[in-house]
Amino acid sequence: DAKTTQPNSMESNEEEPVHLPCNHSTISGTDYIHWYRQLPSQGPEYVIHGLTSNVNNRMASLAIAEDRKSSTLILHRATLRDAAVYYCIPGLGNTPLVFGKGTRLSVIA
Amino acid sequence: SQTIHQWPATLVQPVGSPLSLECTVEGTSNPNLYWYRQAAGRGLQLLFYSVGIGQISSEVPQNLSASRPQDRQFILSSKKLLLSDSGFYLCAWSEGVGETQYFGPGTRLLVL
């Protein structure tokens, strides 16, 4: 299984960009990199995923290192509603996604 | 569009009582279905997943069981609840195993 390493917690000021790092040095060539977030008292929600190229959607951007051993989730302007636990999950093809401990993001007004 | 429902939203049960939590998905066919549990202040633990009717894979041995009587229905059960069964139970679905998962609103279970 691909192992991931994320900071336990990070803090950001409101309206500033946030870069959430993830190391996944054992990822295989066919595993997608998924990011989810879990708001307080809610189930996780999908944020973004990618394979090799950087990806953008309305929620965030995903920057994937050329060697695919790490990735960074970018929130362009953090809001108070972005305070959540962010999970980086390599997709293992035909096995369910496994959620680790994630990074708890605090946003300061 | 697809939607996923779970009920009840909250549940308080005595130790030793039975449990039945239901999850249904609308707007898709032959989804992969998942049950997770999150204990207070802890991460998500995958309990069961199903790739089709009657097909259940158990990830963690315990006093819980799962069943999939219909294509878009997933049920989590227990014959006798333990205090340690308290937690936030989440159902999710995906098109394929390992693909993007979409979670329901969850059921908060408190076993007293």
Side-chain angles (χ1 to χ4, degrees), chain A residues 25-107:
Chain A
S25 57
T26 60
I27 194 170
S28 78
T30 55
D31 290 346
Y32 279 81
I33 300 154
H34 302 256
W35 282 82
Y36 287 74
R37 72 179 185 181
Q38 187 173 17
L39 303 172
S41 300
Q42 295 187 30
E45 64 175 347
Y46 166 80
V47 177
I48 200 168
H49 76 284
L51 184 62
T52 55
S53 304
N54 294 344
V55 186
N56 300 292
N57 66 20
R58 64 175 179 81
M59 291 180 69
S61 295
L62 177 60
I64 301 171
E66 193 169 339
D67 62 7
R68 292 189 7 100
K69 293 183 184 299
S70 65
S71 62
T72 302
L73 181 71
I74 302 166
L75 307 179
H76 296 285
R77 290 179 64 192
T79 70
L80 296 177
R81 289 176 294 179
D82 290 323
V85 178
Y86 286 79
Y87 300 95
C88 162
I89 309 169
L92 302 179
N94 61 351
T95 58
L97 300 180
V98 176
F99 288 74
K101 295 184 178 178
T103 297
R104 182 173 297 278
L105 175 67
S106 301
V107 181

